[in-house]
Amino acid sequence: MALFRHAEGTTPDTLDEFELTGRTLAHIHEAARDYAGPPSRYTLDGHHLAGRTLGYLKAYPELDAQLLETYGQLMQRLVEELAAAENGLTRVVCHGDTHGFNNHVATDAAGVKQSVFFDFDDAGPGFLAYDLSVMSWSYLFRKGLKEPDDTLRERWTHYLRGYRAGGGEVSERDVAALPLFIQLRHLWNLGEAAGRLHHWGMSSVPVDWLRKQVDVLEAWKGLDLRA
């Protein structure tokens, strides 16, 4: 059994709450800058986000060679894109799982809202664009979208505005890298399920679903999240 401190409130829903969430994430990144403790278990790089997933897929018992080759080429492309872009990207200590359900917004007796983050088990040094991308990825994934709708654009605009209002600096290169990291996040999430077949079985990542994700990832190459 694990016991955690209760986080008051509920997940962000209104535009001001997404702005508050972004501002709080900026404070987390700022607070982590002078971290000098033991090395992180994870480094959120190309191997962590894509390379490990390929290893999990190679062990998948019903994946045909053609689909595995397709995923291999896809991951190679993304890792090469990351290698070409990474020197110009902002680095932070990432929360690692900022999909909108790992923080609550609560209102105190004075009517002031506060955002509280939890579930830091995927945290580690990585790229700002990755930590920012996870919220948009979550919405696209849950809604089955291949491009942002008006709701996501509004939420993303306020989320980014809040991050900058909290002191976070986001460069044009970071914004341009968001589609890349949304794809990498999807592969990481896919790998989290594929790597646990011995616990969850194949129902969490059936072969037919894996085939469909190739088209989804191809569509996400062209995402435009410039706010």
Side-chain angles (χ1 to χ4, degrees):
M1 182 177 69
L3 181 65
F4 297 90
R5 182 179 175 182
H6 175 66
E8 297 289 345
T10 188
T11 54
D13 182 57
T14 62
L15 295 179
D16 68 305
E17 290 173 354
F18 277 96
E19 191 163 330
L20 175 60
T21 299
R23 185 160 66 248
T24 306
L25 181 61
H27 295 163
I28 291 172
H29 289 164
E30 175 63 27
R33 283 186 178 180
D34 60 355
Y35 174 76
S40 172
R41 178 180 180 185
Y42 299 135
T43 297
L44 280 59
D45 54 13
H47 172 70
H48 178 78
L49 299 174
R52 295 196 312 162
T53 296
L54 183 59
Y56 296 143
L57 291 179
K58 287 180 178 178
Y60 194 105
E62 295 184 5
L63 206 65
D64 62 79
Q66 183 177 359
L67 185 56
L68 181 60
E69 176 65 20
T70 298
Y71 268 102
Q73 293 176 358
L74 173 62
M75 293 177 192
Q76 182 178 357
R77 171 180 66 80
L78 293 172
V79 170
E80 289 175 353
E81 286 184 23
L82 177 57
E86 62 181 347
N87 288 337
L89 298 177
T90 305
R91 295 175 184 263
V92 297
V93 176
C94 295
H95 174 282
D97 209 15
T98 54
H99 49 58
F101 297 91
N102 281 336
N103 71 283
H104 283 175
V105 175
T107 305
D108 64 18
V112 177
K113 290 184 177 181
Q114 182 181 28
S115 179
V116 176
F117 277 72
F118 46 87
D119 202 356
F120 284 81
D121 55 302
D122 291 310
F127 300 95
L128 169 62
Y130 177 72
D131 236 14
L132 291 176
S133 76
V134 176
M135 188 276 286
S136 294
W137 163 82
S138 175
Y139 187 89
L140 291 165
F141 179 45
R142 287 183 292 108
K143 298 295 184 179
L145 301 177
K146 292 186 177 180
E147 61 183 30
D149 61 10
D150 290 341
T151 298
L152 176 55
R153 290 194 179 280
E154 283 187 327
R155 289 180 174 183
W156 165 247
T157 298
H158 283 77
Y159 189 74
L160 185 59
R161 180 185 300 164
Y163 187 84
R164 286 173 165 152
E169 297 183 4
V170 186
S171 71
E172 290 300 318
R173 290 185 177 182
D174 294 325
V175 174
L178 289 169
L180 167 63
F181 282 108
I182 286 174
Q183 294 172 79
L184 287 169
R185 165 66 184 196
H186 197 49
L187 288 172
W188 173 86
N189 187 68
L190 186 155
E192 286 292 284
R196 290 174 171 80
L197 297 183
H198 54 298
H199 287 307
W200 300 343
M202 292 186 290
S203 60
S204 58
V205 278
V207 175
D208 288 346
W209 183 83
L210 287 171
R211 293 187 192 282
K212 294 175 182 177
Q213 300 321 296
V214 174
D215 292 336
V216 171
L217 290 162
E218 180 66 24
W220 286 349
K221 286 170 55 178
L223 288 173
D224 184 357
L225 287 170
R226 290 171 293 183

